[in-house]
């Protein structure tokens, strides 16, 4: 099995430095352009199936990357972005890119101690649901010889890939994955290894 784990393209809320989790924000034109470039770079990859977060920005990114190919695109809430609850929509960085809210400072700098916001999730919540998705798909015999596209989000991608990193104390693995970055994972004989990490086709 080959799994291409994709983060969605840029949205207006990304550009405005707003907390963006479960709120359903579509791609900005910049995000569409980058998704199309990514699709062009991956046009020779024979994808068999796509699983996407049900949020519009992830689904749109998958559709642009696949560019009209006739393969199933299946939504799965387990790979949806973390829900920030009452923090959704708040501006969390200033014009210089400095984090200005203590909650989001913890989220990015000490994520395992990020407290679950009212009506939201914490890192353990997203680790659990992405782990369920990962185990189900990577042990599914019908997918064992397939090439799979997974379209998701920054935090959800890192949570999903913790199944390989096995290092939650360094949850971000150095950084938030860039918009439209690809992590390519080969699953063989029950073992997973990276073929590409955080690759951006721009």
């Amino acid at each position: 099995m080959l799994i291409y784990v994709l983060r969605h393209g840029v949205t207006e809320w990304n550009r405005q430095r707003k907390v963006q989790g479960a709120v359903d924000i579509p791609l900005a034109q910049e995000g569409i352009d980058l998704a199309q470039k990514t699709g062009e770079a991956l046009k020779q990859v024979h994808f068999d199936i796509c699983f996407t977060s049900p949020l519009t920005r992830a689904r749109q990114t998958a559709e642009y990357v696949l560019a009209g190919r006739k393969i199933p695109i299946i939504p799965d809430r387990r790979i949806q972005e973390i829900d920030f609850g009452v923090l959704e929509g708040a501006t969390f960085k200033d014009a210089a890119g400095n984090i200005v809210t203590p909650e989001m400072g913890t989220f990015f700098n000490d994520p395992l101690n990020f407290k679950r916001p009212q009506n939201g999730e914490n890192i353990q919540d997203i680790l659990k649901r992405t782990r369920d998705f990962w185990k189900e798909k990577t042990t599914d015999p019908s997918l064992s010889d397939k090439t799979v596209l997974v379209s998701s989000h920054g935090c959800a991608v890192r949570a999903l890939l913790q199944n390989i990193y096995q290092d939650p104390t360094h949850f971000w693995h150095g950084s938030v994955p860039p918009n439209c970055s690809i992590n390519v994972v080969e699953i063989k004989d029950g073992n997973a290894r990276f073929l590409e990490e955080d690759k951006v086709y721009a």
Side-chain angles (χ1 to χ4, degrees), residues 77-116:
R77 192 193 169 281
R78 292 173 294 179
I79 53 173
Q80 182 171 306
E81 186 57 300
I82 190 170
D83 189 337
F84 288 106
V86 296
L87 303 178
E88 297 271 354
T91 300
F92 72 95
K93 284 184 178 180
D94 63 20
N98 301 306
I99 297 172
V100 296
T101 62
E103 298 94 342
M104 296 309 290
T106 302
F107 177 72
F108 287 110
N109 298 313
D110 189 14
L112 295 184
N113 286 314
F114 173 69
K115 290 183 170 47
R116 187 183 291 113

Side-chain angles (χ1 to χ4, degrees), residues 8 13 16 29 35 40 47 63 65 68 84 86 116 119-120 147 184 186:
H8 66 79
W13 276 26
Q16 295 168 13
Q29 187 59 52
E40 180 65 20
F47 290 108
E63 290 169 350
V65 167
F84 288 106
V86 296
R116 187 183 291 113
N119 302 322
T147 299
V184 184
E186 179 186 59

Side-chain angles (χ1 to χ4, degrees), residues 5-160:
V5 182
L6 168 70
R7 185 191 174 197
H8 66 79
V10 179
T11 71
E12 287 298 333
W13 276 26
N14 288 144
R15 293 157 59 119
Q16 295 168 13
R17 301 178 174 93
K18 290 186 176 183
V19 176
Q20 178 180 245
V23 173
D24 200 5
I25 306 299
L27 294 179
Q29 187 59 52
E30 179 185 352
I32 292 170
D33 294 343
L34 187 53
Q36 289 175 328
K37 287 179 185 177
T38 305
E40 180 65 20
L42 298 177
K43 67 181 180 181
Q44 300 303 323
V45 178
H46 176 78
F47 290 108
D48 296 290
I49 194 167
C50 172
F51 298 102
T52 182
S53 157
L55 295 177
T56 300
R57 58 191 183 272
R59 178 180 48 77
Q60 283 182 307
T61 302
E63 290 169 350
Y64 281 114
V65 167
L66 294 172
R69 299 192 221 184
K70 302 298 183 185
I71 73 164
I73 299 178
I74 300 169
D76 194 311
R77 192 193 169 281
R78 292 173 294 179
I79 53 173
Q80 182 171 306
E81 186 57 300
I82 190 170
D83 189 337
F84 288 106
V86 296
L87 303 178
E88 297 271 354
T91 300
F92 72 95
K93 284 184 178 180
D94 63 20
N98 301 306
I99 297 172
V100 296
T101 62
E103 298 94 342
M104 296 309 290
T106 302
F107 177 72
F108 287 110
N109 298 313
D110 189 14
L112 295 184
N113 286 314
F114 173 69
K115 290 183 170 47
R116 187 183 291 113
Q118 183 181 346
N119 302 322
E121 295 178 296
N122 64 17
I123 294 296
Q124 295 303 328
D125 296 325
I126 195 168
L127 283 169
K128 181 181 185 302
R129 58 179 169 83
T130 54
R131 186 183 306 118
D132 289 344
F133 172 87
W134 179 266
K135 287 183 176 178
E136 178 183 298
K137 302 309 178 189
T138 58
T139 60
D140 184 343
S142 71
L143 297 176
S144 63
D145 60 346
K146 305 301 185 191
T147 299
V148 179
L149 180 65
V150 174
S151 186
S152 188
H153 308 262
C155 182
V157 164
R158 285 292 186 249
L160 187 68

Side-chain angles (χ1 to χ4, degrees), residues 5-8 34 38 157-158 176-183 197-201:
V5 182
L6 168 70
R7 185 191 174 197
H8 66 79
L34 187 53
T38 305
V157 164
R158 285 292 186 249
V176 178
N179 290 104
C180 276
S181 60
I182 289 277
N183 284 267
E197 291 192 66
D198 289 354
K199 185 173 180 63
V200 177
Y201 300 92

